Amino acid sequence: MRITSARVIVCCPGRNLVTLKIETDDGVHGLGDATLNGREIAVVSYLENHLLPALIGRDPAAIEDIWHYAYLGAYWRRGPVTMTAIAAIDVALWDIKAKVAGMPIYQMLGGASRHRIMAYGHAEGEDIAACLDSAQGFVDAGYDAIRLQCGLPGVGTTYGVPKDGQTRYEPADADLPAEHVWNTARYLNQVPKLFEQARRRFGDDVHLLHDVHHRLTPIEAARLGRDLEPYHLFWMEDSVPAENQAAFAMVRSHTTTPLAVGEVFNSIHDCREMIQSGSIDYIRTSLTHAGGITHMRRIAHLAELHHVRTGCHGATDISPVGLAATLHFDTWVPNFGIQEHMPHDDIVAAVFPSNHRFEAGYFRVDDTPGHGVDIDERLAADYPFKRASLPVNRLEDGTVWDW
């Protein structure tokens, strides 16, 4: 079997999604997710101008060799654009290999470690009361895990909270970047109140999570983690920017609140120090942005040695193709923790027909060969690409800050 074509399909059924389709001379095709939120066309260019021409004529079963060819052969290694492009190829090749074998991908990886995958939903609101009302809907639907994000008094825009009365939180929603305002002091005062009231309302059995979104310094994150300890969070996510991996050791030394990080990581080197030092509890890297299934297995194996579990990024900037591949990874990986889930709009499900099931806060995959997602190219063509940008964050004095 040989690869005969490899092409990129870009569509925007509500938000931009980039799909790689690899076809073989035996008529078997595989799909990979190449979506990089706000930088989609950069990945398209990298694929079309550098990687895809070199795939033609290769054996699609040689996944490991192709992965290293794309990674080591580039010289300029790593980075989100490169690793997202490699991930798309990798997932498409795993899809082909599993289809040829007549197996779901999780069986190709070594079989199932679990029969269902716990996911957490996103509850949000402009204030604490609205956030808790949103969370109530997830509790009523049977979720065992919920992320809570609420607005701040006197601050017009807050990460994770819908703007202008919208019902969905979609960050990449403008042609040019919106500018948000941030106030750390108000945030540090508000969040413990949110979780105090959440525990009072929902009791101790629901897993509660929170995303800081890289906005604190290490000592501020340490304070927040300590203040949240009475409410025993499942995790506190992305508390500080992770370029300085040692900063997490400082946060860890001050709090027992579990720490999660990694949705913006793209290689094992981004998280190695934190994992090996015991500074984190969950690694959130997504296989769509970190070299695919092949590389995520390496990250998971390293994490397992240090009692770190997975919690893969799974917002709607991961396409249904990327989500399905992640669910097969989740089904296999022995040190699974939890899976993020934001549901796509119905039109996305129409463009990307899928076989996995979601019910009451849990995913299940079946035994369909491959990852179980295809693409309706005719329907996708009705939704052309629209440039969209993530916001830029500023402090109230105008200083650019982490978003």
Side-chain angles (χ1 to χ4, degrees):
M1 182 185 294
R2 296 291 165 180
I3 296 172
T4 56
S5 72
R7 53 195 175 84
V8 182
I9 304 162
V10 184
C11 62
C12 186
R15 72 181 306 157
N16 291 316
L17 301 172
V18 181
T19 306
L20 173 64
K21 187 172 187 176
I22 297 178
E23 298 172 307
T24 69
D25 55 4
D26 281 10
V28 180
H29 73 270
L31 298 181
D33 182 13
T35 307
L36 184 61
N37 195 16
R39 294 294 183 269
E40 298 88 355
I41 300 306
V43 182
V44 173
S45 177
Y46 193 86
L47 283 166
E48 292 182 340
N49 292 302
H50 302 289
L51 296 183
L52 299 189
L55 291 181
I56 306 305
R58 292 185 180 273
D59 178 2
I63 296 175
E64 197 72 40
D65 180 73
I66 291 173
W67 196 96
H68 281 89
Y69 180 92
Y71 180 80
L72 298 179
Y75 186 70
W76 308 106
R77 301 176 190 172
R78 300 164 58 190
V81 173
T82 295
M83 298 303 283
T84 300
I86 292 175
I89 294 172
D90 185 75
V91 168
L93 295 180
W94 276 103
D95 192 25
I96 291 171
K97 182 183 281 284
K99 287 175 178 175
V100 171
M103 295 181 178
I105 286 177
Y106 77 83
Q107 290 287 13
M108 300 292 293
L109 297 175
S113 294
R114 59 199 49 81
H115 64 272
R116 63 177 188 168
I117 300 158
M118 182 170 69
Y120 66 90
H122 287 204
E124 62 263 328
E126 294 183 358
D127 54 27
I128 291 175
C131 181
L132 297 185
D133 287 344
S134 174
Q136 185 67 57
F138 289 97
V139 171
D140 294 344
Y143 279 73
D144 289 328
I146 309 166
R147 192 188 82 166
L148 305 182
Q149 310 287 142
C150 76
L152 306 180
V155 178
T157 53
T158 305
Y159 169 76
V161 178
K163 300 177 289 297
D164 302 325
Q166 296 174 3
T167 58
R168 292 284 303 278
Y169 165 61
E170 297 287 356
D173 61 359
D175 181 29
L176 295 176
E179 295 198 5
H180 291 180
V181 177
W182 179 249
N183 185 303
T184 299
R186 293 183 185 183
Y187 171 78
L188 289 173
N189 290 331
Q190 178 84 331
V191 173
K193 297 175 184 176
L194 168 64
F195 283 91
E196 178 185 20
Q197 294 187 38
R199 282 294 175 216
R200 188 181 307 136
R201 179 164 175 172
F202 302 120
D204 294 328
D205 293 336
V206 177
H207 298 304
L208 299 179
L209 303 84
H210 180 66
D211 186 358
V212 182
H213 225 245
H214 319 101
R215 299 193 175 194
L216 301 180
T217 65
I219 196 64
E220 290 167 346
R223 169 189 159 185
L224 180 61
R226 183 197 61 202
D227 289 348
L228 291 173
E229 285 177 11
Y231 316 116
H232 49 91
L233 271 62
F234 188 94
W235 75 35
M236 181 173 72
E237 176 187 343
D238 289 347
S239 56
V240 300
E243 286 91 344
N244 178 7
Q245 295 189 26
F248 276 80
M250 189 272 195
V251 179
R252 162 67 79 230
S253 69
H254 288 279
T255 182
T256 58
T257 295
L259 303 177
V261 72
E263 73 177 56
V264 298
F265 292 176
N266 52 76
S267 83
I268 196 169
H269 306 292
D270 296 320
C271 52
R272 183 182 64 246
E273 181 179 334
M274 287 179 286
I275 290 173
Q276 292 177 333
S277 67
S279 299
I280 60 172
D281 303 279
Y282 296 90
I283 183 63
R284 299 210 59 247
T285 311
S286 73
L287 59 86
T288 292
H289 301 137
I293 293 169
T294 297
H295 196 59
M296 274 300 297
R297 293 179 81 186
R298 296 188 175 98
I299 294 173
H301 284 316
L302 175 64
E304 184 183 15
L305 296 177
H306 298 275
H307 309 287
V308 173
R309 292 185 284 176
T310 64
C312 291
H313 178 62
T316 48
D317 58 1
I318 303 293
S319 87
V321 172
L323 175 61
T326 302
L327 295 178
H328 282 268
F329 174 84
D330 292 341
T331 300
W332 158 78
V333 68
N335 51 319
F336 172 76
I338 200 168
Q339 173 63 49
E340 181 179 19
H341 175 51
M342 289 178 67
H344 284 283
D345 292 334
D346 290 343
I347 188 58
V348 178
V351 174
F352 295 91
S354 171
N355 71 322
H356 60 258
R357 294 179 292 127
F358 182 79
E359 183 179 2
Y362 286 83
F363 280 104
R364 288 179 173 86
V365 295
D366 66 16
D367 287 335
T368 301
H371 53 51
V373 177
D374 213 331
I375 184 170
D376 184 333
E377 295 189 55
R378 287 188 177 183
L379 185 56
D382 292 336
Y383 301 95
F385 170 80
K386 298 178 181 178
R387 187 172 66 178
S389 301
L390 293 167
V392 172
N393 215 34
R394 292 184 183 272
L395 300 181
E396 290 178 319
D397 67 359
T399 303
V400 175
W401 201 247
D402 289 285
W403 191 87

